[in-house]
């Protein structure tokens, strides 16, 4: 009797190319994040089962294998309970889609529904951010005498200067950086674009980076890329997390104020906090960060008592890699700067 061919990968292809993009109209960020989760999951299951990826079936994506995958990612990549829950939700989304078009496969969805969401018993309401000394030390870690050091330094400086999300950095194209207008264009959540002013020092780092990594000045190439099979593709968030963590660990040996775990989003929150301490109004900070709901930004006002005591002081320069003017309240009375922050310039 001829065995019925498993249709796992045909469903996966339609899930990404038709359902997420055309029917559900998910943002590029959501689609990319979902692809990355599935790439990691399939790679893990291949290792666990000893199968080649093209031989995997629905049965291989069992509750046991998914739980083991999530556990390993928490142990090796430092996923928080919140991150773990988001990744699980992206995996379940595919099985909900499959069950809706092929009811005989609903069993697999029900199996994964048995995996409980994880509660963060250590969750604190204190906002996590780095001190000026800590972020200064982190930004000093990449070696600018080496090619990868130049790339990593520019990434960190630009991420800090613009307070960009990890996904915004990775979706950035070469043409999105405007050294003449002194702005960088970011595509935020919900495909919401915004322009963010950048410092002269960041622009200097850009020119050094572009000369080495973008000699052809192709505007549609990802700003930060890796080369696979001769093609330049968007760098993965795993790659970014890896080198950010590496520099955080090395910075910790120089500055005790550096936290035990440094991750990309911590750089964004640090930038936001230092801007708030420098006197940037919450309304303007919400626009700078690309918050759809301005009330989200209130967390910086509620951070802690120590922050409130220091809020009357203007923040000085964090590092020579970022212009001192960016840390001061340069938006006060500066209509051009305010227009750029609000995305009007």
């Amino acid at each position: 009797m001829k065995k019925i061919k498993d249709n796992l990968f045909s469903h996966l292809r339609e899930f990404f190319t038709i359902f997420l993009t055309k029917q559900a109209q998910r943002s590029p960020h959501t689609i990319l994040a979902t692809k990355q989760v599935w790439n990691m999951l399939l790679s893990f299951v291949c290792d666990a089962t000893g199968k080649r990826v093209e031989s995997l079936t629905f049965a291989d994506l069992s509750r046991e294998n998914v739980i083991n995958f999530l556990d390993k990612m928490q142990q090796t990549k430092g996923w928080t309970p919140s991150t773990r829950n988001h990744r699980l939700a992206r995996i379940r989304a595919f099985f909900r889609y499959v069950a809706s078009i092929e009811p005989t496969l609903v069993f697999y969805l029900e199996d994964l529904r048995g995996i409980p969401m994880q509660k963060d018993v250590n969750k604190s309401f204190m906002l996590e951010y780095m001190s000026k000394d800590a972020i200064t030390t982190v930004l000093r870690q990449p070696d600018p005498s080496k090619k990868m050091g130049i790339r990593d330094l520019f990434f960190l400086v630009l991420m800090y200067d613009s307070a960009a999300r990890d996904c915004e950095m990775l979706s950035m194209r070469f043409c999105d950086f405007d050294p003449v207008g002194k702005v960088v264009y970011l595509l935020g959540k919900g495909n919401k674009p915004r322009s963010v002013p950048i410092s002269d020092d960041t622009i200097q780092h850009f020119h050094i980076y572009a000369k080495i990594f973008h000699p052809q000045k192709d505007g549609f190439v990802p700003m930060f890329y890796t080369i696979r099979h001769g093609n330049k593709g968007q760098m993965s968030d795993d790659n970014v997390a890896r080198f950010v963590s590496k520099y955080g660990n090395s910075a910790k040996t120089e500055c005790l104020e550096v936290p035990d775990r440094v991750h990309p989003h911590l750089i964004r929150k640090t930038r936001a906090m230092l801007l708030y301490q420098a006197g940037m109004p919450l309304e303007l900070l919400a626009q700078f960060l690309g918050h759809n709901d301005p009330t989200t930004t209130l967390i910086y006002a509620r951070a802690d008592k120590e922050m409130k005591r220091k809020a009357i002081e203007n923040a000085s320069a964090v590092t020579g890699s970022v212009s001192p003017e960016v840390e001061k309240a340069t938006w006060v009375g500066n209509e051009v700067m305010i227009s750029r922050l609000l995305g009007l310039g």
Side-chain angles (χ1 to χ4, degrees):
M1 182 176 177
K2 186 177 180 180
K3 184 178 179 180
I4 299 176
K5 182 179 180 180
D6 189 277
N7 55 0
L8 169 64
F9 288 99
S10 65
H11 283 310
L12 269 174
R13 182 177 63 253
E14 293 170 359
F15 175 66
F16 284 109
T17 61
I18 299 177
F19 177 73
L20 290 181
T21 58
K22 299 178 181 179
Q23 296 178 356
Q25 296 185 333
R26 301 301 184 195
S27 71
H29 296 323
T30 298
I31 295 172
L32 175 61
T34 305
K35 284 181 179 178
Q36 290 172 339
V37 172
W38 273 92
N39 284 338
M40 289 187 288
L41 174 61
L42 294 175
S43 177
F44 173 85
V45 174
C46 284
D47 292 339
T49 61
K51 290 184 175 182
R52 295 173 61 88
V53 66
E54 62 269 21
S55 300
L56 295 180
T57 65
F58 276 104
D60 294 315
L61 302 175
S62 63
R63 175 165 53 183
E64 180 182 4
N65 280 339
V66 172
I67 290 176
N68 289 339
F69 162 70
L70 296 172
D71 288 345
K72 183 177 180 180
M73 293 301 104
Q74 277 191 289
Q75 296 166 7
T76 60
K77 295 186 179 297
W79 284 5
T80 64
S82 176
T83 300
R84 175 191 173 110
N85 292 340
H86 280 127
R87 302 300 190 266
L88 175 58
R90 296 188 188 281
I91 295 171
R92 284 175 173 170
F94 167 70
F95 285 93
R96 282 198 301 272
Y97 161 76
V98 168
S100 69
I101 62 175
E102 196 167 335
T104 57
L105 297 175
V106 71
F107 164 80
Y108 296 106
L109 173 62
E110 293 302 320
D111 195 30
L112 293 190
R113 280 177 173 165
I115 302 176
M117 291 293 183
Q118 196 173 80
K119 293 183 178 180
D120 190 352
V121 296
N122 297 315
K123 185 175 182 179
S124 171
F125 290 99
M126 291 289 288
L127 177 67
E128 182 189 22
Y129 66 96
M130 287 185 279
S131 68
K132 287 185 288 184
D133 286 342
I135 185 62
T136 297
T137 307
V138 171
L139 293 178
R140 267 202 316 261
Q141 297 310 303
D143 185 352
S145 68
K146 297 180 179 179
K147 183 178 180 180
M148 287 298 102
I150 291 173
R151 181 202 69 179
D152 296 350
L153 178 58
F154 176 55
F155 188 100
L156 292 175
V157 167
L158 180 57
M159 171 174 268
Y160 174 78
D161 198 9
S162 63
R165 300 177 178 93
D166 193 19
C167 61
E168 293 170 344
M169 292 289 293
L170 294 175
S171 64
M172 188 188 305
R173 301 168 301 171
F174 182 71
C175 64
D176 292 330
F177 192 102
D178 181 3
V180 177
K182 296 185 178 181
V183 295
V184 62
Y185 299 96
L186 303 175
L187 188 63
K189 291 183 177 179
N191 287 332
K192 183 180 179 182
R194 72 182 187 280
S195 62
V196 178
I198 46 179
S199 70
D200 290 336
D201 288 317
T202 299
I203 293 172
Q204 291 177 12
H205 282 284
F206 164 76
H207 288 308
I208 296 172
Y209 171 79
K211 184 176 181 180
I212 297 174
F213 287 87
H214 291 275
Q216 305 301 323
K217 297 183 179 180
D218 185 342
F220 296 98
V221 170
M223 177 67 80
F224 300 99
Y225 60 82
T226 54
I227 300 177
R228 299 184 183 87
H229 307 297
N231 297 317
K232 294 178 180 178
Q234 185 172 301
M235 186 188 297
S236 72
D237 55 357
D238 278 347
N239 192 26
V240 175
R242 188 160 46 247
F243 71 69
V244 170
S245 177
K246 178 184 73 173
Y247 294 130
N249 290 337
S250 60
K252 181 72 174 177
T253 64
E254 299 179 21
C255 177
L256 294 178
E257 293 182 11
V258 176
D260 292 333
R261 179 173 174 264
V262 177
H263 51 88
H265 201 61
L266 180 60
I267 296 174
R268 169 178 161 87
K269 291 191 289 187
T270 297
R271 175 62 166 159
M273 177 56 78
L274 293 180
L275 286 172
Y276 179 64
Q277 289 178 336
M280 180 180 274
L282 283 173
E283 296 84 356
L284 201 55
L285 185 60
Q287 295 288 342
F288 185 85
L289 296 174
H291 285 166
N292 290 324
D293 183 358
T295 60
T296 305
T297 321
L298 290 176
I299 188 173
Y300 295 98
R302 297 196 296 259
D304 58 28
K305 293 180 180 179
E306 182 62 23
M307 189 281 298
K308 292 180 176 67
R309 283 196 294 267
K310 294 182 179 180
I312 61 174
E313 302 175 2
N314 283 337
S316 59
V318 169
T319 170
S321 297
V322 179
S323 175
E325 285 76 12
V326 177
E327 284 302 322
K328 296 176 183 178
T330 54
W331 49 87
V332 177
N334 188 332
E335 294 300 325
V336 174
M337 177 68 76
I338 291 174
S339 293
R340 287 177 178 172
L341 289 169
L342 294 175
L344 302 176

